[in-house]
Amino acid sequence: MEVWERAALLSAKVNCSLRSLWDPGFRDQIARAGASMLNNIAEGLSQESLMERNRFLTIASLSCSQLQACVHRGGDLGYFEKNQVADWFAETHEIVVMLGDLSDT
């Protein structure tokens, strides 16, 4: 599914940019947000019940919002370049919109 692929690519890009970061708490937080987003998308898309599907997709959307907040904070802390922050912020927004569209079906 396209939303999972986009989320996986974004999560990988963010994690790769953090390999040499000295802040383990921030690195763990952003990695967990990305992993949670991916896991909940996969779980949601595998559900037969619409209610369960929507529940997992909502959790994925919240995890994506957490990733978005971490990206913003990382930009403020100087961990990411401004263009990276803008690109990743836009991508997280698109993923949240896609998850919302999936929840409506």
Side-chain angles (χ1 to χ4, degrees):
M1 175 103 349
E2 182 185 355
V3 68
W4 189 90
E5 291 169 359
R6 286 179 69 171
L9 182 60
L10 174 63
S11 184
K13 285 179 183 178
V14 172
N15 286 329
C16 283
S17 73
L18 294 171
R19 284 191 179 153
S20 62
L21 184 66
W22 57 266
D23 186 341
F26 180 81
R27 196 174 54 236
D28 290 346
Q29 181 74 26
I30 203 165
R32 286 183 204 168
S36 175
M37 175 180 60
L38 291 172
N39 293 340
N40 282 292
I41 291 170
E43 187 89 21
L45 295 176
S46 68
Q47 297 298 312
E48 291 183 26
S49 160
L50 184 59
M51 188 167 100
E52 284 297 300
R53 175 186 173 104
N54 288 341
R55 182 171 74 88
F56 282 105
L57 293 178
T58 297
I59 295 168
S61 181
L62 294 170
S63 295
C64 188
S65 294
Q66 183 181 23
L67 179 63
Q68 189 178 56
C70 288
V71 164
H72 191 289
R73 193 170 83 239
D76 289 345
L77 294 170
Y79 296 161
F80 306 125
E81 299 292 328
K82 287 184 179 185
N83 63 330
Q84 285 178 313
V85 172
D87 290 347
W88 295 342
F89 198 85
E91 185 65 7
T92 54
H93 176 75
E94 288 295 319
I95 291 168
V96 167
V97 169
M98 292 172 77
L99 290 169
D101 291 346
L102 284 171
S103 293
D104 293 340
T105 58

